[in-house]
Amino acid sequence: MENFSANKSHSPTKSLRKLLWVVLTAAIAIGGFMIANGTDVSTKKVYTVEFEKAVALIKKYEGMHKNHPTLIGYGHQVIAGDKYKRRANLTLAQADELLRDDLSKLCARYRSFGQDSLLLAALAYNCGIGTVARSSVYKNLQAGNRNIESAYLAHSKSRGKTLSQLKRRRQEELDSLFSPTLIPSPLTAAI
């Protein structure tokens, strides 16, 4: 009887097909396991590391609002037509989902700013989109001026007084979410 393994040639195409088959089978098995356990893989959103940093910062400085007249969750401003009513006491999961939804919408609003969209979204989450639109941070970034540190830190005041906790928040946002040098997108890097 012939020894087939000694005469068998290993082509890169066959090896790649076999590897692809193993990966695909594993993915289907894991996906089926997740669906069977109540995790809907198709609707699960995946966020970037930077987005997760912004979420953590907002949670840290906002805290959970309970029985607040206008804010719920992690600082969501209740408006007409919202899913939740004023003074609603949300679960941690509901508050997290609402925060991510709000922050995603703000990021989409500032999408034209590329890598700076998350920084502007974090500022708008706390100060409001009107304040951001009138800010020198917004105007400088729009003009291509990346020297915004002092302008960003100026958003540490409430009623004319600088608040130390707000200043720490702004500094931490700036340190975590802003790169003073413009990082080219993959599309512009290839050009």
Side-chain angles (χ1 to χ4, degrees):
M1 188 172 247
E2 284 183 57
N3 185 354
F4 288 105
S5 61
N7 296 333
K8 204 188 259 187
S9 66
H10 292 282
S11 75
T13 308
K14 285 183 181 180
S15 297
L16 186 59
R17 274 193 226 142
K18 190 173 186 176
L19 177 64
L20 185 59
W21 177 252
V22 170
V23 170
L24 185 59
T25 305
I28 290 169
I30 291 169
F33 174 77
M34 293 176 79
I35 292 169
N37 286 311
T39 305
D40 186 0
V41 179
S42 63
T43 60
K44 183 118 172 105
K45 293 182 182 177
V46 178
Y47 298 102
T48 65
V49 172
E50 292 78 16
F51 188 89
E52 292 297 337
K53 285 180 191 176
V55 167
L57 282 170
I58 291 169
K59 285 180 176 182
K60 175 182 175 180
Y61 286 102
E62 288 290 338
M64 267 295 270
H65 293 275
K66 300 244 182 215
N67 295 318
H68 192 279
T70 60
L71 300 175
I72 60 173
Y74 294 107
H76 172 81
Q77 181 76 41
V78 179
I79 57 172
D82 267 355
K83 180 178 175 180
Y84 302 103
K85 303 291 181 207
R86 290 177 180 213
R87 295 189 187 273
N89 289 321
L90 305 181
T91 66
L92 292 175
Q94 290 170 324
D96 183 73
E97 180 184 350
L98 190 56
L99 166 58
R100 289 169 186 280
D101 187 49
D102 287 347
L103 193 58
S104 294
K105 288 175 184 173
L106 289 168
C107 284
R109 179 182 199 94
Y110 301 113
R111 183 170 286 126
S112 65
F113 286 87
Q115 71 186 40
D116 300 321
S117 63
L118 191 55
L119 181 73
L120 291 171
L123 185 61
Y125 190 88
N126 184 237
C127 299
I129 56 175
T131 299
V132 171
R134 293 184 302 273
S135 74
S136 55
V137 172
Y138 182 87
K139 292 171 185 168
N140 283 338
L141 289 174
Q142 201 170 34
N145 180 358
R146 303 198 54 74
N147 187 13
I148 62 163
E149 184 174 0
S150 61
Y152 195 82
L153 294 175
H155 290 279
S156 303
K157 295 181 180 182
S158 178
R159 298 184 180 139
K161 289 183 79 173
T162 299
L163 302 178
S164 60
Q165 185 172 357
L166 206 46
K167 190 170 184 173
R168 275 194 304 277
R169 178 179 183 163
R170 295 293 170 254
Q171 187 65 59
E172 201 169 337
E173 288 169 347
L174 201 58
D175 292 344
S176 298
L177 306 175
F178 181 69
S179 174
T181 58
L182 187 61
I183 300 169
S185 71
L187 294 176
T188 59
I191 296 174

